[in-house]
Amino acid sequence: MKAFIVAGILIFTLAAAPGWGQDRGPVADGAVAHKTEYTIDAIYPEDSRIVIDDGEYYVTGPVMINGQEIPAGGVLKVLRQGQKLFNIVAERQGQDEVLVLKGADIL
């Protein structure tokens, strides 16, 4: 019985924590984003750049798409403007700390 009470208190405490469960958008350093759905706004193959929900992502190497590693050139051919994505993974790189796309799932 004590275990149920402790578990209930723990769940209540976590649920009441500020920011818990809110959509936060893309997270750098390889962490999975918390937002549920993203839309590709534009693709610029000449720059190896993709705009997703008004955020710029660069494709500099292979990207995991739906659990499959796709080479950089293939990523720009697989993704389409208006396409829905989720589970975006990106990390900041270089002096300018640009977001580099590392993974995403296609809906």
Side-chain angles (χ1 to χ4, degrees):
M1 186 65 172
K2 286 183 183 180
F4 289 116
I5 294 172
V6 170
I9 292 171
L10 180 60
I11 291 171
F12 178 75
T13 303
L14 287 174
W20 198 67
Q22 293 180 355
D23 289 343
R24 296 185 197 133
V27 178
D29 299 321
V32 176
H34 297 283
K35 188 174 176 181
T36 57
E37 188 177 295
Y38 303 89
T39 303
I40 297 176
D41 297 324
I43 298 175
Y44 300 99
E46 63 278 357
D47 299 332
S48 296
R49 182 169 54 105
I50 300 172
V51 179
I52 304 171
D53 283 350
D54 296 328
E56 288 186 333
Y57 294 82
Y58 289 86
V59 179
T60 61
V63 177
M64 292 295 287
I65 303 286
N66 290 349
Q68 183 178 6
E69 189 173 88
I70 308 289
V75 170
L76 299 172
K77 293 176 184 173
V78 169
L79 299 178
R80 300 279 181 255
Q81 184 174 343
Q83 196 167 30
K84 302 292 183 191
L85 304 174
F86 67 104
N87 293 335
I88 292 177
V89 178
E91 65 182 29
R92 296 204 177 273
Q93 289 184 353
Q95 289 179 332
D96 298 331
E97 292 195 2
V98 296
L99 276 175
V100 176
L101 187 64
K102 296 294 182 180
D105 291 325
I106 299 172
L107 287 176

